[in-house]
Amino acid sequence: MSTHAVDVEHEKSAGSQPVKYVYFFGEGHADGHGKMKDELGGKGAGLAEMTNAGLPVPPGFTIQTEACREYMRKGDVSAEVNRQMDEALAHLEQLQGQQLGGADNPLLVSVRSGAKFSMPGMMDTILNLGLNDESVKGLAQRTNNPRFAYDSYRRLIQMFGSVVLEIPKHAFEEVFDGKKKQKKAKLDTDLDARALQEVIAEYKKVVKQHTKRDFPQDPHEQLVMARDAVFRSWGNDRAKHYRRMNNIDDMLGTAVNVQAMVFGNLGETSGTGVGFTRNPATGVKEFYGEFLMNAQGEDVVAGIRTPMPITELDRVQPEVYNQLREITTRLEQHYRDMQDFEFTIQDGRLYMLQTRNGKRTGRAAVRVAIQMVDEGLITKEEAIFRVEPNQLYDFLVPRLDEKNADIEVLATGLPASPGAAVGQIVFTADEAVEKFQKDPKAKLILVRGETTPEDIHGMEVAAGILTSRGGMTSHAAVVTRGMGKCCVAGAGDIEVSEKNREMRVHGKVLKAGDWLSLDGTTGRVINGKLNTIPASPDDPELVKFMAWAEPFRRMGVRANADIPRDALQARAFGAEGIGLCRTEHMFFAEDRLPHMRAMILANNEKDRRTALKKLLPMQRQDFIGVFRAMDGYPVTIRTLDPPLHEFLPRREDLLVEIAKLEITKPKSPKLKELHTLLNRVEQLHEVNPMLGLRGCRLGITYPEITEMQARAIFEAAVKVAKEGVKVKPEVMIPLTTGLKEMANQAAIVRRVAEEVFNEKESKIEYLVGTMIELPRAALVADEIAKEAEFFSFGTNDLTQTTFGFSRDDVGKILTAYLANGILKQDPFATLDRDGVGQLIKIAVQKGRETRPTIKIGICGEHGGDPSSVEFCAQNNFNYVSCSPFRVLTARLAAAQAGASAELNVEAGRTK
Ligand code: ADP
Ligand code: MG
Ligand code: MG
């Protein structure tokens, strides 16, 4: 690598001035937002601001994110970074009157990661850096506390060993635990200086064994190695995964903070703790947190000793307590948001080590927002942005009642679908259905290695799903989220044996029928039967909050619902209509499938019509139910969409059945029937059914189907209208690619409508429109709009056909695409604005050119995704439509989009 290239880059980015890579705390730009966070990271910016505000912060400096990006590009930092770091270090040494790792009065530092968006626990931090065989003696003498000095040194070797040298943590833990056993020590703090010296000697052996070299004694070398390790930790799997889940750009990089150490492990007048200015679970305004005396760093959260509630500090060190309360209240006032802070007490003196806007549950977010408005801290308009739309899901699902409960966490998996579920274990879908049929009130937890589409019937009757394999996009996760049902996925510690009807976890065996409690919000699998607190979509605080947000919403929110139950659910969550009612689901029911099959098997129009006649009254009844549920609101009904083979048995199954019969009952008349069926299945077989005979192609090939459906829709509409129900049907033709298809199907719908109106001597208003779900349809939308009175973007198919990715198999591609940064997110979850979004823009513009009043909506999965909803709002959609459980999220996302346009603010959501 030539140094020349590095120089050129400097010139490019900062003229003749070298880039400023290193900022001393409190130096330089002084607002805690915007650019400062980009460069210093959240932690660095917070430390800088607290320093500027005169709060007690141990001094230090931040190496900004550009150095990390450089490190990622080149595998090393430039000489300029090292020069500026050494300069800052010299300044720090001067300020403290100490030398890094000096033999007699050593300066020790922490080396801390800190990116723009907080990623708790994802990257690494090293404490007590600068200690070596010499300086540890100096520290022991200076403090007159050898126990403390050797404790700090063993911590350094342990942290440095695992983070920088990548030695497995357990290698150190084994040594430490062994020593505790040998000395019969209960707590870490029971080990004396001598014992700790022995630990250190053994730790050093561990280092030598694993790295073939000695633990580095040169403090400066320690610093450089630690810094680079923190840069590398940006790219560890945990951090990458976290970024993907939270939509954080992989290219941002982390800053590194080098800070003078203060010591919470100096003795009983020292300690360390973490806290929140409000309760992050409930939002209640109370001082909340934990601390431990004679402890350092992560001891509080590591669960080695039981920490004390922070209010107890008032008793232990009242002055420190009052100072901490005063400082954190000031911090909350300054940032105008709930703070999550870290502190250390050294010999009765308080030091602040971190502050940031605290993460919180959806319920807490709503409560904190409302209370801060009441307190005059923020405006109502700001409050709207203090809740992430996805967080509102918390209100729609039950949760575990943990008050006074005895909680034994068996394992923790992925929080695949939020909410809570308590029930008795079943290990197969069939068993679940069987139990449910015996007792429809049965509460069941379906436990599987992973689920497949064959488990759906069991998943439907189960209260919750637990899998030991699979990720956030596994079958179990995706399906349960759609159902609004709690799921913990990929709980790897659990071994499921379907055969023995048992699950094993850490030596414990649970059998079918045993009780289990799942927390889908945290991923916890809890032994036994906890109580649950039901969902509360009418929570008064939620209602109040939404009443502030909703006046800014300029776009309607509808739900995708096929049956009255879902429609009513959606209305309860605030849906203003149905944006997609699929008609095919109605045909899978047991009493209908035979008629549907008869229709498909018919080889002439007459037989087909006979079968359709049988389906007509059933279909009419379906629509009556949905129309009644949606009284006063529009209902968009899509004509038949899926390829017909979906209604027939699988070819392989038929072959097996035929083979069996040929042996057992070769004369059975059933055989002939099966052969006819097989014939038809083979005729209908398509290599690419998703690109085959489906959508409007069906209705064009078999116009009788569209006719029957239109008749069912209008007969139902006329009937409920006569009951006084306000009904607004919108008939939607799927998968059109141009005007002529649209005209063909619209003509049938309109003709049948007239027929029905004449027969019943009654008229209702309706619309005929189409889905835009193929690229060609988007490009010729001006033509299609001549016939279509509305467009609804079917973004699942549109994404599938624009990318040419099968949405059913995309998982296999996604992993590599996300890992390589080719895609930033799953385009089936968050609308691809660059590609699919372009097509949508074209279609909206062309559609409105032809028909300025054309109604525009979206009914793909994206209709409930906040970023996609924002895109729809920006393009002046009339409505978005999503699954019932996402209606509330869509309402808030649409309100935020409206508010940011109206107030001209960027959607400033807290990450
Ligand atoms: P994370 O980002 O994972 O929270 P931090 O960089 O905040 O990691 O470090 C974790 C903990 O280490 C802090 O909460 C604090 O207790 C301790 N720590 C970090 N720097 C210092 C320091 N200069 N003096 C004393 N303790 C420190
Ligand atoms: Mg921290
Ligand atoms: Mg489609």
Side-chain angles (χ1 to χ4, degrees), residues 826-880:
D826 175 357
F828 289 96
T830 299
L831 191 85
D832 159 51
R833 295 189 188 198
D834 298 341
V836 179
Q838 287 300 313
L839 286 169
I840 292 177
K841 281 189 174 170
I842 291 170
V844 168
Q845 191 211 334
K846 290 196 162 194
R848 286 192 173 132
E849 263 165 32
T850 303
R851 188 189 290 269
T853 57
I854 194 164
K855 232 191 215 187
I856 292 191
I858 180 173
C859 61
E861 284 299 309
H862 302 92
D865 166 67
S867 152
S868 313
V869 171
E870 182 188 42
F871 175 84
C872 295
Q874 287 165 349
N875 287 283
N876 297 316
F877 275 43
N878 297 84
Y879 68 87
V880 295

Side-chain angles (χ1 to χ4, degrees), residues 58 114 123 212 236 280 301 419 451 518 541 566 684 743 746 785 793-794 799 835:
M123 293 181 295
K212 312 277 175 271
N236 72 33
V301 282
T451 64
L518 299 183
E541 283 181 328
D566 290 351
L684 284 173
F793 288 94
T799 301

Side-chain angles (χ1 to χ4, degrees), residues 355-375:
T355 192
R356 63 182 164 208
N357 294 343
K359 299 217 186 291
R360 63 208 82 175
T361 64
R363 285 167 185 280
V366 168
R367 179 167 289 163
V368 167
I370 289 181
Q371 291 187 348
M372 286 192 167
V373 171
D374 291 346
E375 292 162 23

Side-chain angles (χ1 to χ4, degrees), residues 113-302:
S113 57
K116 176 173 182 185
F117 302 110
S118 77
M119 299 163 51
M122 294 302 130
M123 293 181 295
D124 297 312
T125 286
I126 294 139
L127 305 181
N128 308 326
L129 189 129
L131 281 174
N132 55 26
D133 294 348
E134 287 311 309
S135 59
V136 71
K137 288 183 203 152
L139 187 66
Q141 253 166 26
R142 268 281 159 167
T143 55
N144 199 14
N145 189 342
R147 200 212 89 81
F148 152 73
Y150 291 106
D151 181 48
S152 303
Y153 192 24
R154 71 97 191 157
R155 285 171 188 266
L156 170 65
I157 303 175
Q158 189 166 348
M159 271 191 249
F160 194 95
S162 75
V163 172
V164 184
L165 306 174
E166 298 179 16
I167 299 167
K169 281 201 173 96
H170 65 82
F172 295 107
E173 280 159 7
E174 275 159 25
V175 171
F176 197 68
D177 293 342
K179 188 57 68 185
K180 274 167 79 179
K181 260 206 196 114
Q182 184 199 341
K183 302 279 171 185
K184 299 202 168 54
K186 260 220 206 101
L187 303 174
D188 294 6
T189 43
D190 293 341
L191 289 182
D192 63 11
R194 157 117 353 133
L196 289 165
Q197 276 172 306
E198 291 165 16
V199 170
I200 289 165
E202 288 189 48
Y203 274 11
K204 288 207 277 194
K205 277 193 211 144
V206 170
V207 169
K208 182 97 192 217
Q209 229 173 34
H210 279 85
T211 64
K212 312 277 175 271
R213 58 162 287 188
D214 291 320
F215 177 75
Q217 291 290 315
D218 175 1
H220 195 266
E221 189 188 0
Q222 288 177 3
L223 178 59
V224 170
M225 289 175 79
R227 176 198 65 196
D228 293 351
V230 170
F231 284 154
R232 284 196 300 275
S233 74
W234 174 259
N236 72 33
D237 289 344
R238 258 181 317 159
K240 276 198 208 149
H241 182 76
Y242 184 90
R243 288 198 291 275
R244 205 167 299 148
M245 298 298 304
N246 291 279
N247 257 329
I248 298 172
D249 193 333
D250 271 334
M251 295 317 293
L252 291 174
T254 180
V256 170
N257 301 285
V258 177
Q259 184 177 30
M261 283 299 299
V262 287
F263 300 101
N265 54 337
L266 257 180
E268 288 308 316
T269 55
S270 302
T272 182
V274 297
F276 290 85
T277 51
R278 304 181 189 227
N279 186 318
T282 63
V284 169
K285 191 173 182 182
E286 62 187 355
F287 205 47
Y288 183 89
E290 294 172 327
F291 74 104
L292 262 178
M293 296 311 277
N294 199 7
Q296 186 175 59
E298 311 283 60
D299 290 359
V300 182
V301 282

